[in-house]
Amino acid sequence: MKRNRRVAVIAGIGLVMIMLGAIAGAWWWHQDPGAGSAAASAHAPAPGARPAGPERNDRGELGPARVLVDDDPRGTLRLEGQVIDADDHGVAGATVVIAANPPRTATTEADGGFAFDGLIGRTYAVVARGATGTAGPVTVQLTRASDPIVLRLRPAGALTVTVVGTTGAPIAGATVELRGLDVQRAVVVGPAAVIRPVIPGNYQIAAWADGMAHAFTRIHLDARDAEARLVLGSGAPVSGKVVDDQGTGVAGARVRYSGASDLRVQASDRFDAQVTAADGSFAFDALPAGSFRLLATHPERAPGTSPLVTLDGKTAKTGVVIAMAIGATVHGHVVDSRRQPVPGARVRIGAAGGLPALDTPRQAASDAQGGFEIRGLPRKPLSAVALHESGSSPSVALDASGGDIAELTLTLELTGMISGRVVDPKGAPIEGAQVAAGPVFGAGGPLAGSGSGGNGFDPAQWRLRGLPEASSDASGQFQLTGLAPGAYRVSAAPARAQSLGQALGPRFGRGRADTPDSATAQTGDRNVVLVVAPDGGIKGTVAFADGTVPALFSASTPAAQQTFGGGDGGFALDGLAPGTYELELRGTSFQTRAVEITIEPAKTTDAGTITVVKGRAIAGTVVADGQPVAGATVYAGRTILGNGSTTATQLSAATAAITAANKSTTTDAAGAFSMSGFGDGDITLVAEQDAIGRSRALRLPAVMPGQTELTLSLEKFGALHGTLHQGGQPADGVLVTCQSTSTPGAVFTVLAGADGAYRFDRLAPDTYKVSATLGTIRTGMRFYAKQAEVPSSQDIALDLSVDAGAITLNVTATASGGVGLALVWLASAAITATTESELALKLAAAGPGAYQRTIARGGMTAMTSVAPGAYSLCVTPLPLAIQGTAAIGYMDAHGDALPAFCQPVTVAPAPDAQSAQIAVQVPSVITDPPGGAGSPGAGSGH
């Protein structure tokens, strides 16, 4: 059985590059949560109400990408079901929510029965909430022959939300809203607001109070009790106008705000948006300090975005203008292979090619005659696809640059199918299991094309189409339809699985992809058997060598995490799919430890006593103007990742993997802090206090003396802004990174808007390498960098330009015995280095220019879009035994000791394809002592 490992990018080297795939995913995570996780404001309608217009989907629609979903046409289908308790008794008065567009809610009758009428034939997610627990989400493919569904309530946890002001005092009467497929509200009474029961899943939490700006955070909830804390700050009025091409006000547009410097601040189109008046005017009562873009949508117009608006949270802002161009309308029909109309098909239209971060696909459903109409599309090259239970269409390229497209026919000619059964280990059928198909990353995978992200996989196609999913029936049968030819990884999860990600395994969330309940299948396979074994668990004890136990620690697998403390060092995790995992133990007082654990069906594995090492300690004082600062937060780790406003940012699961071993603490009344449990190698330290400022990032080598007598000095924040251009035009949706030139482990990232503008609201005074960043981790990253000095209390302007070339440089690293995994840099600067640590420092300090970063496999890779000129080619080979995700832990533990090899390379103006060869020496594997960070179980296996 293969090992289930956390899928992440390699941490500890080339820090700017390795975080960027995570940031791209984070943008989707932090976009408007839409109806499924909708926000609320003082002017909001009651939960369940929804204004007209397209809505961003986050409520069970298939696929990992967000989609703007138009309202469903009224259909002719009916979904019936029953909510039951653990004893199979019907539950009266339960709330049932179905992920229609808009979402609909029903209350169960005396026997637990419920029904939804007027639905169209498509896939829906359904959840339930009653006094004794929650159920779902259950996914159902609704057809005229669909059976009623059963939702069984299981025990669920409560969410306690503390809402405080900037002084830390609770704000009584504040409103808290939990936004997911199910939306619940509560009011702070006493110290907190309590919401119970809560359906497990991903949510946005919003809080607000009179005269204060909204606060938002994201949270993942399971069946256990959870807590969250939100801080409300001051807000100030913001007003403006939405206009057309002639400057005339646009009535009926919906305006919301989106954090530009801090992606975590995302208002909802459903509840937070303001609707423009007859003259196009709009107004918000209280927006917080920070930089924002105001986004407008309208049924007849392409989406509009304001210029960057920077607020102080105290002074009213007026005169904000959002221009909306006339949008394109696409009319058409969906037909089957016999040219007959297909009602209830999902038609999706999105930007053509790539994964532009600011373009979101639109979706509408075909009517009874197969017709559809999507209005307000951007006038640019687009791609369209139709999806239905009977098949799907190939993607069709559209050019809406010139306006409307009158007749588009989407033919459901992709009718590939994978079917089979979901059973338990004894062969008994499992009803309601969630079955999903994910891409196989390789030339044999489906939907390969010219836009492929490596090995034939085309991410743009998956973004538009989503991931196929179905639910098993009473006999355990499932059927995935509309598949393109190719190989798929088909996975199953029990009905209680809380999301699509749980069915797809560690790449998408739960950790079941390498267990017997998954299989690789080809389109056309009809007898796929997925065995879903009962979940198991882990228990054990964490202790130091002297028998004492940590005061506080967390235990986690790719599927679960929980914090423990105040006891005998014991821990327990349940609800884990059978398989072999890495159990990770983290704490502020010991070095991160990872051990391999095998979970057996319906059993709790006893891991025994796991010994952890106190490791390296650091301590010191945080000061400002020479005076100690109480309540400052100190962050420490190999890689510190922040956004344009704060170091305290958790962007996504991928960035969590990068920063898994990071630690943080708060200074005491004397400004003192201390942390331990660090391994050898460089540590980056940053201290921050919102009301005062931030310290310059400090690089702390392992051999530096005085590591328990540090002084971190807070300085007032500086700011940095500018515009990106590519080919003379604003560069849309490009990532911008800010990296300290002296401490490469501190990286801050924002996203440029449609006008190419970007802004970092808060940076420590320092010298930064500022880069416009393109590409992906799979295909390679390209950086176009300048250097900037950001003084305290000053706002610096710095424009960036993407100057891509047209040459492909094929690189081959050679060594006796061959080369396995290697890290390759191409830099337009004279760089020499003998270790990876030295290379990282010199790359950060190198001046303006173009840089590329790829991962070579078998010693070979290609650098694309290279301009002619002189470069340094640098390669860091890993030991041959270190492959795949094993590099994560190994690089974190031994990146400082890995050898690097550099040589000058000249790229000529021609030909278009050129080659470079570099000789390297592949190092041997460094063996760690038991319990070390890079020891087996910490990422050193296959």
Side-chain angles (χ1 to χ4, degrees):
M1 184 180 295
K2 296 180 181 178
R3 302 170 67 185
N4 285 310
R5 293 190 177 273
R6 188 182 306 276
V7 174
V9 291
I10 299 171
I13 36 111
L15 298 175
V16 176
M17 177 267 182
I18 54 182
M19 66 180 290
L20 295 171
I23 305 296
W27 171 253
W28 294 108
W29 174 253
H30 290 292
Q31 283 189 82
D32 168 25
S37 45
S41 71
H43 306 290
R50 179 183 183 275
E55 189 71 66
R56 193 176 307 278
N57 173 68
D58 188 26
R59 49 183 188 271
E61 189 63 49
L62 302 185
R66 305 295 171 87
V67 177
L68 283 167
V69 184
D70 292 357
D71 285 355
D72 291 337
R74 181 165 181 82
T76 59
L77 302 184
R78 176 182 174 91
L79 176 65
E80 297 181 347
Q82 184 184 29
V83 177
I84 62 175
D85 61 20
D87 298 320
D88 294 339
H89 298 143
V91 178
T95 298
V96 183
V97 185
I98 185 171
N101 302 303
R104 294 168 56 184
T105 301
T107 302
T108 57
E109 299 176 350
D111 64 350
F114 65 88
F116 294 98
D117 291 305
L119 300 175
I120 60 175
R122 68 170 178 86
T123 300
Y124 295 91
V126 186
V127 298
R129 167 172 44 90
T132 60
T134 65
V138 168
T139 301
V140 56
Q141 181 73 46
L142 184 62
T143 68
R144 295 189 181 279
S146 294
D147 294 326
I149 64 172
V150 175
L151 296 169
R152 185 186 301 274
L153 296 183
R154 299 178 181 274
L159 175 65
T160 300
V161 183
T162 302
V163 181
V164 300
T166 53
T167 63
I171 300 177
T175 301
V176 174
E177 186 166 63
L178 185 65
R179 308 163 178 174
L181 173 53
D182 183 34
V183 179
Q184 298 190 65
R185 283 188 185 179
V187 175
V188 174
V189 177
V194 180
I195 299 174
R196 70 160 58 90
V198 176
I199 299 169
N202 294 320
Y203 290 90
Q204 183 190 59
I205 306 174
W208 66 91
D210 291 343
M212 307 186 84
H214 283 49
F216 306 93
T217 191
R218 286 282 186 172
I219 192 170
H220 175 79
L221 299 173
D222 55 24
R224 292 170 289 222
D225 291 345
E227 297 181 357
R229 182 176 185 269
L230 281 83
V231 179
L232 299 187
S234 64
V238 174
S239 61
K241 193 172 185 179
V242 177
V243 300
D244 62 17
D245 306 42
Q246 307 302 315
T248 304
V250 176
R254 298 185 57 78
V255 182
R256 70 177 181 91
Y257 56 94
S258 171
S261 182
D262 188 347
L263 286 178
R264 301 174 305 168
V265 182
Q266 297 295 325
S268 165
D269 182 74
R270 181 182 179 193
F271 287 137
D272 290 332
Q274 300 295 312
V275 179
T276 57
D279 63 351
S281 62
F282 65 88
F284 291 93
D285 288 343
L287 264 60
S291 292
F292 299 90
R293 294 184 179 91
L294 302 185
L295 312 178
T297 57
H298 188 277
E300 303 296 329
R301 296 184 175 273
T305 304
S306 76
L308 273 176
V309 177
T310 300
L311 310 172
D312 62 8
K314 300 176 183 178
T315 307
K317 176 73 174 180
T318 61
V320 178
V321 176
I322 307 174
M324 300 191 76
I326 291 292
T329 298
V330 176
H331 300 266
H333 287 81
V334 180
V335 299
D336 61 22
S337 57
R338 299 173 300 168
R339 309 296 291 180
Q340 297 300 305
V342 178
R346 289 170 291 143
V347 178
R348 287 184 177 174
I349 301 179
L355 289 169
L358 298 180
D359 284 316
T360 305
R362 285 277 300 280
Q363 176 179 302
S366 60
D367 60 23
Q369 289 74 46
F372 67 86
E373 177 183 272
I374 299 181
R375 309 177 72 86
L377 291 164
R379 295 195 172 197
K380 61 193 301 184
L382 304 170
S383 183
V385 67
L387 309 168
H388 187 259
E389 63 184 43
S390 62
S392 65
S393 74
S395 297
V396 176
L398 312 173
D399 189 357
S401 303
D404 297 347
I405 296 176
E407 270 305 324
L408 172 67
T409 299
L410 298 173
T411 305
L412 303 181
E413 59 187 74
L414 297 178
T415 56
M417 178 189 304
I418 294 175
S419 60
R421 292 190 308 138
V422 182
V423 299
D424 66 18
K426 296 182 179 180
I430 295 179
E431 181 179 4
Q434 308 299 289
V435 182
V440 170
F441 295 94
L447 303 178
S450 60
S452 298
N455 296 328
F457 172 67
D458 188 349
Q461 290 300 305
W462 283 100
R463 174 174 178 260
L464 191 61
R465 292 172 176 271
L467 296 166
E469 188 181 20
S471 182
S472 61
D473 61 20
S475 64
Q477 297 288 329
F478 72 88
Q479 181 172 289
L480 300 167
T481 58
L483 304 179
Y488 295 80
R489 189 68 179 176
V490 184
S491 303
R496 64 182 176 279
Q498 299 307 321
S499 70
L500 173 68
Q502 292 178 345
L504 287 173
R507 183 179 298 277
F508 300 99
R510 184 165 188 243
R512 301 189 74 104
D514 290 327
T515 56
D517 51 18
S518 68
T520 298
Q522 295 284 336
T523 305
D525 290 350
R526 296 180 178 271
N527 296 301
V528 177
V529 177
L530 303 175
V531 181
V532 175
D535 286 343
I538 303 172
K539 68 177 183 179
T541 302
V542 177
F544 295 111
D546 61 5
T548 60
V549 300
L552 190 69
F553 67 94
S554 68
S556 65
T557 70
Q561 178 174 326
Q562 192 170 350
T563 300
F564 303 89
D568 59 359
F571 67 89
L573 298 174
D574 55 18
L576 302 177
T580 301
Y581 297 87
E582 279 187 350
L583 170 68
E584 294 183 344
L585 302 165
R586 305 188 193 101
T588 58
S589 61
F590 63 88
Q591 194 168 334
T592 298
R593 178 78 193 275
V595 296
E596 188 174 283
I597 297 292
T598 297
I599 304 299
E600 297 185 21
K603 294 182 180 180
T604 297
T605 298
D606 190 347
T609 298
I610 300 173
T611 302
V612 293
V613 178
K614 292 184 178 180
R616 179 175 163 197
I618 60 174
T621 305
V622 176
V623 302
D625 296 326
Q627 298 301 310
V629 177
T633 304
V634 181
Y635 303 91
R638 298 277 289 179
T639 310
I640 302 294
L641 303 182
N643 61 27
S645 297
T646 178
T647 310
T649 180
Q650 182 60 61
L651 293 169
S652 70
T655 56
I658 295 173
T659 60
N662 287 8
K663 304 176 189 293
S664 65
T665 190
T666 303
T667 56
D668 63 18
F673 69 91
S674 64
M675 288 179 275
S676 60
F678 296 97
D680 292 336
D682 288 358
I683 298 173
T684 300
L685 271 76
V686 175
E688 184 170 296
Q689 213 278 355
D690 286 345
I692 300 176
R694 184 182 300 161
S695 71
R696 298 175 188 242
L698 173 66
R699 173 177 168 260
L700 197 62
V703 296
M704 177 178 169
Q707 298 196 15
T708 57
E709 300 174 349
L710 302 170
T711 299
L712 301 178
S713 297
L714 300 184
E715 301 178 67
K716 292 181 179 179
F717 295 106
L720 178 69
H721 72 277
T723 303
L724 277 68
H725 289 88
Q726 183 173 12
Q729 299 297 318
D732 183 355
V734 174
L735 293 163
V736 182
T737 58
C738 234
Q739 180 185 37
S740 169
T741 58
S742 61
T743 308
V747 184
F748 301 88
T749 302
V750 297
L751 192 67
D755 57 359
Y758 74 91
R759 181 178 175 82
F760 292 86
D761 282 335
R762 290 177 162 186
L763 290 172
D766 204 343
T767 302
Y768 292 96
K769 187 169 190 174
V770 187
S771 303
T773 307
L774 292 86
T776 69
I777 288 175
R778 290 182 60 83
T779 60
M781 307 296 297
R782 292 181 284 129
F783 309 90
Y784 301 90
K786 288 186 178 181
Q787 191 163 294
E789 180 75 28
V790 178
S792 176
S793 302
Q794 293 191 34
D795 191 345
I796 301 303
L798 181 71
D799 292 341
L800 299 172
S801 178
V802 174
D803 301 314
I807 297 167
T808 296
L809 181 66
N810 296 300
V811 176
T812 302
T814 62
S816 58
V819 179
L821 190 67
L823 314 168
V824 183
W825 277 97
L826 186 67
S828 60
I831 292 177
T832 58
T834 58
T835 66
E836 174 60 32
S837 177
E838 182 185 7
L839 177 58
L841 285 169
K842 289 192 173 182
L843 285 167
Y851 301 81
Q852 286 204 38
R853 171 75 160 68
T854 66
I855 298 176
R857 294 169 177 82
M860 301 179 67
T861 190
M863 312 296 241
T864 60
S865 303
V866 180
Y871 294 87
S872 295
L873 176 64
C874 297
V875 177
T876 301
L878 275 69
L880 292 175
I882 306 300
Q883 295 291 328
T885 57
I888 301 169
Y890 192 87
M891 288 301 304
D892 188 61
H894 306 298
D896 295 332
L898 282 173
F901 302 86
C902 296
Q903 71 179 36
V905 170
T906 299
V907 176
D912 291 342
Q914 301 177 36
S915 299
Q917 184 170 299
I918 182 171
V920 301
Q921 295 179 9
V922 176
S924 300
V925 174
I926 300 173
T927 303
D928 295 281
S935 61
S940 58
H942 292 274

